[in-house]
């Protein structure tokens, strides 16, 4: 089963705390080094914070749930496990993870590599998503093999 990295709204116009930005950069680097599929989801056509490499897919979303009205389903390898990270925990991250679980994906939310309006809100989202079937794992410990 392939493991794909799904980055939500990791764009230049987002104000990320330094620790989350660092975790996202490291997570992306680890996925790229492992040859894992990487899918960047952005809103409003904004430039990506870390850019995209050849072979990586960029999907534009129009809804908090990145699956609605976009080509996200087609961009993900069938039957893949998804490692999800990005911005905003309470909105796009929560809605997209919930939708992915509903579509039968195994989902890992990379703790430390998603950002909410507050740290407490991000932790609350982790608890809520764990309760509906997402695995919460430290971003540094997520395997891509």
């Amino acid at each position: 089963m392939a493991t794909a990295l799904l980055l939500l709204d990791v764009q230049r116009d987002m104000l990320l705390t330094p620790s989350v930005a660092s975790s996202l950069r490291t997570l992306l680097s680890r996925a790229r080094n492992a040859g894992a599929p990487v899918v960047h989801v952005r809103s409003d056509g904004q430039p990506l914070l870390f850019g995209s490499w050849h072979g990586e897919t960029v999907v534009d979303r129009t809804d908090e749930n990145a699956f609605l009205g976009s080509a996200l389903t087609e961009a993900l390898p069938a039957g893949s496990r998804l490692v999800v990270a990005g911005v905003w925990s309470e909105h796009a991250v929560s809605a997209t993870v919930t939708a992915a679980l509903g579509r039968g994906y195994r989902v890992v939310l990379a703790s430390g590599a998603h950002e909410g309006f507050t740290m407490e809100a991000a932790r609350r989202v982790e608890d809520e998503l764990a309760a509906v079937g997402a695995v919460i794992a430290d971003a540094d410990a997520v395997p891509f093999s």
Side-chain angles (χ1 to χ4, degrees):
M1 169 184 305
T3 298
L5 177 59
L6 180 59
L7 293 176
L8 296 167
D9 294 343
V10 181
Q11 303 167 173
R12 287 188 202 155
D13 66 339
M14 295 297 180
L15 298 174
L16 295 168
T17 58
S19 63
V20 171
S22 177
S23 291
L24 285 164
R25 183 181 297 107
T26 300
L27 189 66
L28 177 58
S29 177
R30 289 181 51 239
R32 286 172 169 167
N33 288 338
V38 175
V39 178
H40 303 268
V41 176
R42 65 183 180 186
S43 59
D44 302 322
Q46 294 296 314
L48 299 171
L49 182 61
F50 304 120
S52 63
W53 284 8
H54 178 73
E56 295 178 353
T57 304
V58 178
V59 173
D60 289 305
R61 72 172 181 86
T62 58
D63 191 273
E64 284 186 345
N65 171 359
F67 286 93
L68 292 181
S70 76
L72 181 55
T73 300
E74 295 79 17
L76 296 171
S80 59
R81 178 176 75 137
L82 303 180
V83 174
V84 179
V87 182
W88 294 107
S89 305
E90 307 91 322
H91 297 287
V93 172
S94 179
T96 302
V97 167
T98 301
L101 291 166
R103 287 170 166 73
Y105 289 98
R106 291 180 38 210
V107 179
V108 175
L109 179 59
S111 184
H114 67 95
E115 185 156 81
F117 291 123
T118 65
M119 285 182 59
E120 295 78 21
R123 299 299 168 246
R124 186 174 53 252
V125 167
E126 288 181 358
D127 292 342
E128 292 168 358
L129 293 175
V132 295
V135 172
I136 311 303
D138 187 271
D140 293 332
V142 174
F144 284 100
S145 54

